[in-house]
mmCIF file of all heavy atoms in Angstrom:
data_model
loop_
_atom_site.group_PDB
_atom_site.id
_atom_site.type_symbol
_atom_site.label_atom_id
_atom_site.label_comp_id
_atom_site.label_asym_id
_atom_site.label_seq_id
_atom_site.Cartn_x
_atom_site.Cartn_y
_atom_site.Cartn_z
ATOM 1 N N PRO A 190 -15.855 -0.954 -10.759
ATOM 2 C CA PRO A 190 -15.243 -0.539 -12.025
ATOM 3 C C PRO A 190 -14.177 -1.522 -12.510
ATOM 4 O O PRO A 190 -13.596 -2.260 -11.713
ATOM 5 C CB PRO A 190 -14.620 0.813 -11.693
ATOM 6 C CG PRO A 190 -14.341 0.742 -10.226
ATOM 7 C CD PRO A 190 -15.481 -0.052 -9.649
ATOM 8 N N PRO A 191 -13.903 -1.521 -13.813
ATOM 9 C CA PRO A 191 -12.829 -2.364 -14.348
ATOM 10 C C PRO A 191 -11.469 -1.818 -13.940
ATOM 11 O O PRO A 191 -11.348 -0.656 -13.533
ATOM 12 C CB PRO A 191 -13.038 -2.270 -15.859
ATOM 13 C CG PRO A 191 -13.687 -0.936 -16.062
ATOM 14 C CD PRO A 191 -14.568 -0.738 -14.874
ATOM 15 N N PRO A 192 -10.417 -2.629 -14.065
ATOM 16 C CA PRO A 192 -9.076 -2.197 -13.646
ATOM 17 C C PRO A 192 -8.552 -0.963 -14.356
ATOM 18 O O PRO A 192 -7.645 -0.306 -13.848
ATOM 19 C CB PRO A 192 -8.218 -3.429 -13.950
ATOM 20 C CG PRO A 192 -9.152 -4.574 -13.874
ATOM 21 C CD PRO A 192 -10.451 -4.056 -14.424
ATOM 22 N N SER A 193 -9.101 -0.641 -15.524
ATOM 23 C CA SER A 193 -8.631 0.540 -16.244
ATOM 24 C C SER A 193 -9.015 1.825 -15.524
ATOM 25 O O SER A 193 -8.485 2.901 -15.836
ATOM 26 C CB SER A 193 -9.212 0.548 -17.656
ATOM 27 O OG SER A 193 -10.632 0.521 -17.608
ATOM 28 N N GLU A 194 -9.927 1.730 -14.559
ATOM 29 C CA GLU A 194 -10.355 2.899 -13.805
ATOM 30 C C GLU A 194 -9.723 2.854 -12.413
ATOM 31 O O GLU A 194 -8.737 2.164 -12.204
ATOM 32 C CB GLU A 194 -11.889 2.939 -13.758
ATOM 33 C CG GLU A 194 -12.502 3.017 -15.152
ATOM 34 C CD GLU A 194 -14.020 3.083 -15.133
ATOM 35 O OE1 GLU A 194 -14.595 3.387 -14.080
ATOM 36 O OE2 GLU A 194 -14.629 2.814 -16.184
ATOM 37 N N SER A 195 -10.271 3.592 -11.465
ATOM 38 C CA SER A 195 -9.690 3.643 -10.123
ATOM 39 C C SER A 195 -10.801 3.833 -9.104
ATOM 40 O O SER A 195 -11.930 4.202 -9.446
ATOM 41 C CB SER A 195 -8.656 4.768 -10.016
ATOM 42 O OG SER A 195 -9.258 6.012 -10.349
ATOM 43 N N ILE A 196 -10.447 3.599 -7.836
ATOM 44 C CA ILE A 196 -11.435 3.657 -6.751
ATOM 45 C C ILE A 196 -10.910 4.533 -5.629
ATOM 46 O O ILE A 196 -9.728 4.476 -5.281
ATOM 47 C CB ILE A 196 -11.728 2.248 -6.203
ATOM 48 C CG1 ILE A 196 -12.583 1.438 -7.191
ATOM 49 C CG2 ILE A 196 -12.416 2.302 -4.840
ATOM 50 C CD1 ILE A 196 -12.801 -0.001 -6.764
ATOM 51 N N ALA A 197 -11.796 5.327 -5.038
ATOM 52 C CA ALA A 197 -11.539 5.994 -3.766
ATOM 53 C C ALA A 197 -12.627 5.551 -2.804
ATOM 54 O O ALA A 197 -13.816 5.536 -3.167
ATOM 55 C CB ALA A 197 -11.549 7.508 -3.920
ATOM 56 N N ILE A 198 -12.237 5.160 -1.606
ATOM 57 C CA ILE A 198 -13.220 4.726 -0.614
ATOM 58 C C ILE A 198 -12.877 5.366 0.726
ATOM 59 O O ILE A 198 -11.711 5.414 1.123
ATOM 60 C CB ILE A 198 -13.287 3.187 -0.515
ATOM 61 C CG1 ILE A 198 -14.426 2.762 0.408
ATOM 62 C CG2 ILE A 198 -11.960 2.569 -0.103
ATOM 63 C CD1 ILE A 198 -14.809 1.301 0.261
ATOM 64 N N ALA A 199 -13.902 5.895 1.406
ATOM 65 C CA ALA A 199 -13.712 6.619 2.657
ATOM 66 C C ALA A 199 -14.383 5.877 3.799
ATOM 67 O O ALA A 199 -15.537 5.448 3.678
ATOM 68 C CB ALA A 199 -14.286 8.028 2.540
ATOM 69 N N THR A 200 -13.651 5.723 4.917
ATOM 70 C CA THR A 200 -14.215 5.109 6.123
ATOM 71 C C THR A 200 -14.134 6.112 7.265
ATOM 72 O O THR A 200 -13.185 6.896 7.353
ATOM 73 C CB THR A 200 -13.477 3.820 6.501
ATOM 74 O OG1 THR A 200 -12.103 4.103 6.761
ATOM 75 C CG2 THR A 200 -13.572 2.788 5.375
ATOM 76 N N GLY A 201 -15.129 6.071 8.155
ATOM 77 C CA GLY A 201 -15.310 7.127 9.131
ATOM 78 C C GLY A 201 -14.625 6.941 10.466
ATOM 79 O O GLY A 201 -13.965 5.927 10.724
ATOM 80 N N PRO A 202 -14.798 7.932 11.354
ATOM 81 C CA PRO A 202 -14.163 7.936 12.672
ATOM 82 C C PRO A 202 -15.040 7.211 13.699
ATOM 83 O O PRO A 202 -16.117 6.699 13.364
ATOM 84 C CB PRO A 202 -14.093 9.428 12.991
ATOM 85 C CG PRO A 202 -15.356 9.962 12.378
ATOM 86 C CD PRO A 202 -15.573 9.164 11.108
ATOM 87 N N GLU A 203 -14.576 7.177 14.954
ATOM 88 C CA GLU A 203 -15.422 6.712 16.029
ATOM 89 C C GLU A 203 -16.680 7.585 16.069
ATOM 90 O O GLU A 203 -16.599 8.814 16.030
ATOM 91 C CB GLU A 203 -14.696 6.813 17.375
ATOM 92 C CG GLU A 203 -13.578 5.801 17.538
ATOM 93 C CD GLU A 203 -12.208 6.339 17.131
ATOM 94 O OE1 GLU A 203 -12.163 7.381 16.422
ATOM 95 O OE2 GLU A 203 -11.191 5.721 17.490
ATOM 96 N N GLY A 204 -17.830 6.947 16.073
ATOM 97 C CA GLY A 204 -19.083 7.695 16.049
ATOM 98 C C GLY A 204 -19.631 7.920 14.658
ATOM 99 O O GLY A 204 -20.775 8.359 14.494
ATOM 100 N N GLY A 205 -18.829 7.626 13.627
ATOM 101 C CA GLY A 205 -19.291 7.745 12.250
ATOM 102 C C GLY A 205 -19.218 9.163 11.698
ATOM 103 O O GLY A 205 -18.882 10.119 12.401
ATOM 104 N N TRP A 206 -19.515 9.279 10.413
ATOM 105 C CA TRP A 206 -19.568 10.584 9.769
ATOM 106 C C TRP A 206 -20.749 11.386 10.316
ATOM 107 O O TRP A 206 -21.791 10.820 10.654
ATOM 108 C CB TRP A 206 -19.738 10.444 8.255
ATOM 109 C CG TRP A 206 -18.724 9.624 7.545
ATOM 110 C CD1 TRP A 206 -18.927 8.431 6.926
ATOM 111 C CD2 TRP A 206 -17.333 9.938 7.348
ATOM 112 N NE1 TRP A 206 -17.773 7.974 6.352
ATOM 113 C CE2 TRP A 206 -16.767 8.875 6.599
ATOM 114 C CE3 TRP A 206 -16.516 10.994 7.725
ATOM 115 C CZ2 TRP A 206 -15.428 8.856 6.224
ATOM 116 C CZ3 TRP A 206 -15.183 10.981 7.360
ATOM 117 C CH2 TRP A 206 -14.651 9.924 6.624
ATOM 118 N N THR A 207 -20.611 12.689 10.354
ATOM 119 C CA THR A 207 -21.751 13.533 10.718
ATOM 120 C C THR A 207 -22.690 13.632 9.514
ATOM 121 O O THR A 207 -22.273 13.429 8.359
ATOM 122 C CB THR A 207 -21.295 14.943 11.122
ATOM 123 O OG1 THR A 207 -20.683 15.573 9.973
ATOM 124 C CG2 THR A 207 -20.293 14.886 12.267
ATOM 125 N N PRO A 208 -23.979 13.952 9.740
ATOM 126 C CA PRO A 208 -24.899 14.135 8.607
ATOM 127 C C PRO A 208 -24.393 15.166 7.596
ATOM 128 O O PRO A 208 -24.569 14.996 6.386
ATOM 129 C CB PRO A 208 -26.193 14.595 9.284
ATOM 130 C CG PRO A 208 -26.128 13.988 10.648
ATOM 131 C CD PRO A 208 -24.673 14.043 11.032
ATOM 132 N N HIS A 209 -23.755 16.221 8.101
ATOM 133 C CA HIS A 209 -23.219 17.248 7.196
ATOM 134 C C HIS A 209 -22.126 16.665 6.298
ATOM 135 O O HIS A 209 -22.078 16.958 5.088
ATOM 136 C CB HIS A 209 -22.667 18.415 8.012
ATOM 137 C CG HIS A 209 -22.004 19.475 7.186
ATOM 138 N ND1 HIS A 209 -22.683 20.240 6.258
ATOM 139 C CD2 HIS A 209 -20.698 19.877 7.117
ATOM 140 C CE1 HIS A 209 -21.843 21.075 5.672
ATOM 141 N NE2 HIS A 209 -20.634 20.871 6.174
ATOM 142 N N GLU A 210 -21.252 15.829 6.866
ATOM 143 C CA GLU A 210 -20.178 15.223 6.081
ATOM 144 C C GLU A 210 -20.747 14.276 5.029
ATOM 145 O O GLU A 210 -20.272 14.241 3.879
ATOM 146 C CB GLU A 210 -19.207 14.480 7.002
ATOM 147 C CG GLU A 210 -18.334 15.409 7.828
ATOM 148 C CD GLU A 210 -17.537 14.693 8.896
ATOM 149 O OE1 GLU A 210 -18.002 13.637 9.388
ATOM 150 O OE2 GLU A 210 -16.446 15.181 9.242
ATOM 151 N N VAL A 211 -21.741 13.502 5.403
ATOM 152 C CA VAL A 211 -22.361 12.584 4.443
ATOM 153 C C VAL A 211 -22.936 13.380 3.271
ATOM 154 O O VAL A 211 -22.745 13.027 2.096
ATOM 155 C CB VAL A 211 -23.457 11.740 5.118
ATOM 156 C CG1 VAL A 211 -24.237 10.941 4.073
ATOM 157 C CG2 VAL A 211 -22.850 10.792 6.150
ATOM 158 N N GLN A 212 -23.622 14.470 3.572
ATOM 159 C CA GLN A 212 -24.212 15.274 2.507
ATOM 160 C C GLN A 212 -23.148 15.913 1.630
ATOM 161 O O GLN A 212 -23.290 15.977 0.400
ATOM 162 C CB GLN A 212 -25.111 16.361 3.113
ATOM 163 C CG GLN A 212 -25.989 17.063 2.084
ATOM 164 C CD GLN A 212 -26.885 16.095 1.322
ATOM 165 O OE1 GLN A 212 -27.633 15.316 1.926
ATOM 166 N NE2 GLN A 212 -26.813 16.126 -0.012
ATOM 167 N N GLN A 213 -22.056 16.372 2.251
ATOM 168 C CA GLN A 213 -20.936 16.923 1.483
ATOM 169 C C GLN A 213 -20.410 15.896 0.481
ATOM 170 O O GLN A 213 -20.139 16.221 -0.688
ATOM 171 C CB GLN A 213 -19.803 17.325 2.426
ATOM 172 C CG GLN A 213 -19.892 18.706 3.031
ATOM 173 C CD GLN A 213 -18.630 19.013 3.817
ATOM 174 O OE1 GLN A 213 -18.302 18.342 4.798
ATOM 175 N NE2 GLN A 213 -17.905 20.036 3.393
ATOM 176 N N ALA A 214 -20.226 14.667 0.947
ATOM 177 C CA ALA A 214 -19.696 13.613 0.082
ATOM 178 C C ALA A 214 -20.664 13.306 -1.059
ATOM 179 O O ALA A 214 -20.244 13.141 -2.216
ATOM 180 C CB ALA A 214 -19.411 12.365 0.902
ATOM 181 N N LEU A 215 -21.944 13.224 -0.741
ATOM 182 C CA LEU A 215 -22.928 12.947 -1.792
ATOM 183 C C LEU A 215 -22.924 14.064 -2.832
ATOM 184 O O LEU A 215 -23.052 13.800 -4.040
ATOM 185 C CB LEU A 215 -24.326 12.804 -1.173
ATOM 186 C CG LEU A 215 -24.539 11.662 -0.175
ATOM 187 C CD1 LEU A 215 -25.997 11.597 0.268
ATOM 188 C CD2 LEU A 215 -24.104 10.328 -0.766
ATOM 189 N N ASN A 216 -22.761 15.280 -2.393
ATOM 190 C CA ASN A 216 -22.770 16.418 -3.317
ATOM 191 C C ASN A 216 -21.582 16.410 -4.269
ATOM 192 O O ASN A 216 -21.630 17.040 -5.332
ATOM 193 C CB ASN A 216 -22.778 17.734 -2.537
ATOM 194 C CG ASN A 216 -24.088 17.966 -1.806
ATOM 195 O OD1 ASN A 216 -25.102 17.315 -2.101
ATOM 196 N ND2 ASN A 216 -24.080 18.882 -0.840
ATOM 197 N N THR A 217 -20.490 15.714 -3.879
ATOM 198 C CA THR A 217 -19.307 15.652 -4.741
ATOM 199 C C THR A 217 -19.199 14.315 -5.490
ATOM 200 O O THR A 217 -18.157 14.011 -6.049
ATOM 201 C CB THR A 217 -18.020 15.887 -3.921
ATOM 202 O OG1 THR A 217 -17.963 14.943 -2.849
ATOM 203 C CG2 THR A 217 -17.988 17.292 -3.361
ATOM 204 N N GLY A 218 -20.285 13.528 -5.468
ATOM 205 C CA GLY A 218 -20.323 12.326 -6.294
ATOM 206 C C GLY A 218 -19.979 11.026 -5.606
ATOM 207 O O GLY A 218 -19.808 10.001 -6.284
ATOM 208 N N PHE A 219 -19.878 11.014 -4.284
ATOM 209 C CA PHE A 219 -19.620 9.765 -3.574
ATOM 210 C C PHE A 219 -20.892 8.922 -3.497
ATOM 211 O O PHE A 219 -21.995 9.456 -3.324
ATOM 212 C CB PHE A 219 -19.099 10.034 -2.156
ATOM 213 C CG PHE A 219 -17.621 10.285 -2.091
ATOM 214 C CD1 PHE A 219 -17.084 11.495 -2.512
ATOM 215 C CD2 PHE A 219 -16.760 9.312 -1.615
ATOM 216 C CE1 PHE A 219 -15.720 11.737 -2.456
ATOM 217 C CE2 PHE A 219 -15.392 9.534 -1.549
ATOM 218 C CZ PHE A 219 -14.866 10.751 -1.975
ATOM 219 N N GLN A 220 -20.721 7.608 -3.605
ATOM 220 C CA GLN A 220 -21.812 6.643 -3.482
ATOM 221 C C GLN A 220 -21.778 6.066 -2.066
ATOM 222 O O GLN A 220 -20.773 5.487 -1.651
ATOM 223 C CB GLN A 220 -21.621 5.516 -4.497
ATOM 224 C CG GLN A 220 -22.381 4.235 -4.203
ATOM 225 C CD GLN A 220 -23.852 4.323 -4.539
ATOM 226 O OE1 GLN A 220 -24.212 4.712 -5.639
ATOM 227 N NE2 GLN A 220 -24.695 3.981 -3.579
ATOM 228 N N PRO A 221 -22.861 6.222 -1.279
ATOM 229 C CA PRO A 221 -22.863 5.602 0.043
ATOM 230 C C PRO A 221 -22.926 4.082 -0.082
ATOM 231 O O PRO A 221 -23.673 3.551 -0.910
ATOM 232 C CB PRO A 221 -24.118 6.168 0.708
ATOM 233 C CG PRO A 221 -25.007 6.570 -0.418
ATOM 234 C CD PRO A 221 -24.106 6.961 -1.549
ATOM 235 N N ILE A 222 -22.124 3.387 0.724
ATOM 236 C CA ILE A 222 -22.091 1.926 0.683
ATOM 237 C C ILE A 222 -22.034 1.373 2.108
ATOM 238 O O ILE A 222 -21.652 2.063 3.045
ATOM 239 C CB ILE A 222 -20.901 1.379 -0.145
ATOM 240 C CG1 ILE A 222 -19.554 1.916 0.398
ATOM 241 C CG2 ILE A 222 -21.058 1.704 -1.621
ATOM 242 C CD1 ILE A 222 -18.851 1.009 1.337
#
Side-chain angles (χ1 to χ4, degrees):
S193 58
E194 300 181 17
S195 57
I196 287 175
I198 186 164
T200 60
E203 289 94 343
W206 304 113
T207 64
H209 176 64
E210 287 171 331
V211 172
Q212 192 57 54
Q213 274 186 298
L215 298 184
N216 291 344
T217 56
F219 276 75
Q220 161 77 51
I222 57 96

